[in-house]
Amino acid sequence: GEKIWSLDLGWGIEAGPAYSPLVVWDINSDGWSEIVLKTNEGDDPRNYDNDRLSILDGKTGSLLMQAAWPPADTLGNDYNSNSRNYIGIAHLDGINPSIIVTRGLYKTQVIWAYDSNLRLKWKKYVGLHLGSSHSLKDRILKYLRFDNTLERLWARYTGKYLPPDTYRGSHGLPISDIDLDGREEILWGSICIGQDGKTVWKITDQMPYI
């Protein structure tokens, strides 16, 4: 019940597990738990360029390692979505812990995986993000499927309903070995993500929420 240490994270963080998440885990397998958390090196929580993934020594609170947090510049200007962040620990290879970090909740999300030394393993975009390789038609149709109002107008004037997009955000980051192969998968909304960052399966029988 005695306080071991305390750390003032400053004005750059926003209170709440969905804004400034943390997990406690023995990342380096030395028998002592570390604190893995999102920090902000500035004094404005909406300055996302200052966001960092930080690992603290569990015994002292001192900073051990730090890396970039997924940026918000590809997610659109939506504070309610851009400010949502999650951390999870996944044994993607069945042995070593990887740190999974996410930003975004509605329409577009980005998920990164780091190894225990904060080396980036892969990046994944989910939702509205398509990239420059897709045609303008594909982008428009995808956006229509994301907006319930536009989708209804499309159906009203064309008589056709667009197929539902395979996208739903997630208010949590469950990790589990779904297929019992010894390697853990990431459950993010309507999709299951494998050890290489690729989609294992996705649910398509419900419309997305906005």
Side-chain angles (χ1 to χ4, degrees), residues 145-157:
R145 293 198 295 268
F146 271 81
D147 191 301
N148 289 337
T149 301
L150 291 177
E151 197 275 339
R152 287 194 296 269
L153 288 174
W154 177 276
R156 177 180 177 182
Y157 289 104

Side-chain angles (χ1 to χ4, degrees), residues 6-170:
S6 64
L7 179 64
D8 187 346
L9 295 177
W11 291 99
I13 67 162
E14 211 171 354
Y19 301 97
S20 301
L22 66 83
V23 295
V24 179
W25 203 273
D26 182 7
I27 293 297
N28 55 16
S29 302
D30 65 350
W32 298 87
S33 294
E34 286 75 45
I35 314 298
V36 185
L37 74 166
K38 174 184 167 292
T39 58
N40 187 295
E41 297 185 327
D43 56 6
D44 181 0
R46 298 197 187 194
N47 187 344
Y48 303 126
D49 291 338
N50 291 322
D51 287 341
R52 300 289 184 271
L53 170 62
S54 301
I55 299 180
L56 307 181
D57 187 310
K59 300 186 292 293
T60 66
S62 61
L63 180 65
L64 297 177
M65 291 184 284
Q66 203 168 58
W69 190 270
D73 54 4
T74 60
L75 305 186
N77 187 22
D78 182 352
Y79 167 75
N80 192 37
S81 182
N82 293 350
S83 61
R84 304 300 181 94
N85 303 274
Y86 294 95
I87 297 177
I89 304 297
H91 296 81
L92 298 176
D93 61 359
I95 301 173
N96 302 296
S98 294
I99 304 171
I100 312 300
V101 294
T102 75
R103 183 191 291 278
L105 187 60
Y106 306 105
K107 293 188 177 180
T108 311
Q109 310 103 47
V110 58
I111 304 171
W112 288 5
Y114 284 99
D115 68 12
S116 59
N117 292 309
L118 294 189
R119 292 186 293 251
L120 190 62
K121 297 166 67 76
W122 49 258
K123 300 179 181 181
K124 184 179 183 65
Y125 286 94
V126 180
L128 193 56
H129 186 276
L130 277 175
S132 58
S133 62
H134 291 76
S135 68
L136 179 60
K137 178 183 177 182
D138 287 341
R139 296 184 188 189
I140 292 174
L141 291 176
K142 193 172 183 67
Y143 185 80
L144 287 172
R145 293 198 295 268
F146 271 81
D147 191 301
N148 289 337
T149 301
L150 291 177
E151 197 275 339
R152 287 194 296 269
L153 288 174
W154 177 276
R156 177 180 177 182
Y157 289 104
T158 66
K160 299 178 181 179
Y161 282 90
L162 293 168
D165 205 334
T166 55
Y167 147 82
R168 288 135 199 110
S170 185

